[in-house]
Amino acid sequence: MIAEAGEKILIGNFVAFHVHLIFLDVKCIWNTAKFLYTNAIPFRNHLFIEKKRSLYMNQSIITCIFFSIAGYLSGSILYAYWIPKILFQKDICALSPDGNPGTANAFVYGGFWAGILALLSELFKGFFPVVLALRTLDIDTPYMIPILIAPVLGHAFPLQFHPKNSNKKGGKAIAVSFGVLLGIFPVVLPVLFLAAAYILFSVVLIIRPHLFRSIITFGVFCLLVFLFVPVLSIDFACLGIALLVIYKHLCAYQNEKLSIRFFFPK
C-alpha cells in the first residue's frame, strides 16, 4: 500500500512538473509573439515611411529634370528677336549697335507693339515653367534651384545658334529673370528687390551705361535676397540667375566708362 501511494505521488509530481513546463513554454511563446508583434508595427511603419520617402525623391528628381529641360527649351526661344523679325520684318540684331536680341532693342528698333509682345513673351517663358513645377514641388526643396535657373540659362545660351548677322549668341536675360521671379509668387521679395534696384540706379543714383547698371543691380539684388529671404532654394537660384546675367553683360563690355551721379531735380 505504502509503495503504491508513493508511486502515485511520484507520477502526480511528474505530471504536474511537465504541465508546469508546458505552461511556461506557452507563456514564453506568447510573450515572444507579443513582443515581436508590438515591435513589428513601428518597423513596418518605418519601412512604409522610407518607401514613401524614396518614391517621393524619385518623383521629385524626375519632375526636376523634366521642368529644367522644359524651362531651358522655353528660355531658348528668343521672342525679342523673332517677334519683330516675323511680325514686323525688322531684324533688331542687324539694326542695333550691340546686336543683342533683347526686349529693349525690340522696343527701340521694332516699335512699341513689337516691344510689348516681346516683353510679355519673355516674361511668360520664364513664368510658366516655374508655376507648373510648383504645382508638384515645394518652393523650399533644392530641386527647384535648377528649375528656376533653367529659363535664364536657356535665354543666355540658347539651343539654336544666334542669327549670322550678329557676333553673339543669346541675350542678356533680364526680362526672363523677372518672369522667373514672378513665377514664385506669393514669395514677392526677390522680384521687388530686383525692380527696386533697377529703379534706384536708373532715377535716383543714376549709373551709366546700362551694362554697369545691370551688373550692379543684379549684385545688389542677390545680396538683398540672401539677407532677407530665408529660403535657401530661392537664395541659391537667385545667385545663379545673377551670375548668368552679370556674365552676359561682362561679355558685352566694350571699354565703356562708368558714370555715377545723383539725380537732383531743378
Side-chain angles (χ1 to χ4, degrees):
M1 294 292 293
I2 296 175
E4 291 180 359
E7 186 177 351
K8 289 181 180 179
I9 292 172
L10 288 174
I11 294 173
N13 290 336
F14 179 79
V15 172
F17 176 74
H18 281 79
V19 169
H20 181 69
L21 288 180
I22 293 172
F23 174 77
L24 290 177
D25 289 341
V26 171
K27 186 177 181 181
C28 180
I29 293 172
W30 170 257
N31 289 334
T32 302
K34 186 177 179 181
F35 173 80
L36 292 175
Y37 178 78
T38 303
N39 289 275
I41 293 177
F43 181 72
R44 188 170 62 230
N45 291 339
H46 175 72
L47 290 179
F48 175 76
I49 292 172
E50 289 297 323
K51 184 177 181 181
K52 187 175 181 181
R53 184 181 301 171
S54 177
L55 181 62
Y56 173 76
M57 288 182 63
N58 291 337
Q59 291 176 342
S60 299
I61 292 172
I62 294 172
T63 302
C64 174
I65 294 173
F66 174 80
F67 281 106
S68 295
I69 295 174
Y72 174 79
L73 294 176
S74 175
S76 293
I77 304 174
L78 304 179
Y79 293 102
Y81 172 79
W82 292 111
I83 288 176
K85 177 77 171 179
I86 296 173
L87 298 182
F88 301 93
Q89 290 75 50
K90 294 183 179 180
D91 188 338
I92 64 171
C93 291
L95 295 172
S96 60
D98 61 358
N100 181 55
T103 304
N105 283 341
F107 271 104
V108 174
Y109 300 100
F112 176 78
W113 291 112
I116 289 294
L117 292 174
L119 175 61
L120 293 176
S121 299
E122 294 290 337
L123 289 173
F124 285 149
K125 78 178 185 182
F127 177 83
F128 280 122
V130 174
V131 169
L132 294 176
L134 286 174
R135 298 182 65 178
T136 305
L137 298 173
D138 296 326
I139 187 60
D140 58 351
T141 177
Y143 297 112
M144 283 302 300
I145 296 175
I147 295 175
L148 294 173
I149 296 175
V152 181
L153 180 66
H155 184 91
F157 302 97
L159 189 63
Q160 80 277 11
F161 285 100
H162 200 268
K164 293 181 180 180
N165 53 10
S166 173
N167 59 356
K168 298 180 181 179
K169 180 183 178 183
K172 297 176 181 176
I174 295 175
V176 68
S177 298
F178 274 99
V180 168
L181 298 178
L182 288 171
I184 63 175
F185 181 87
V187 182
V188 297
L189 283 181
V191 71
L192 291 180
F193 286 151
L194 185 57
Y198 259 116
I199 293 173
L200 172 65
F201 298 131
S202 298
V203 299
V204 179
L205 181 63
I206 302 173
I207 299 176
R208 292 178 179 173
H210 175 73
L211 179 145
F212 289 110
R213 183 189 309 141
S214 293
I215 290 174
I216 295 173
T217 293
F218 272 86
V220 171
F221 150 76
C222 186
L223 177 62
L224 291 174
V225 169
F226 267 91
L227 289 176
F228 296 104
V229 180
V231 183
L232 287 179
S233 59
I234 296 178
D235 294 344
F236 284 100
C238 289
L239 174 62
I241 291 172
L243 291 176
L244 280 171
V245 175
I246 291 172
Y247 173 78
K248 290 296 294 185
H249 280 78
L250 289 175
C251 290
Y253 177 64
Q254 297 179 349
N255 297 320
E256 298 98 330
K257 292 184 178 180
L258 173 64
S259 171
I260 302 176
R261 66 179 180 85
F262 284 97
F263 172 74
F264 294 104
K266 295 180 180 180

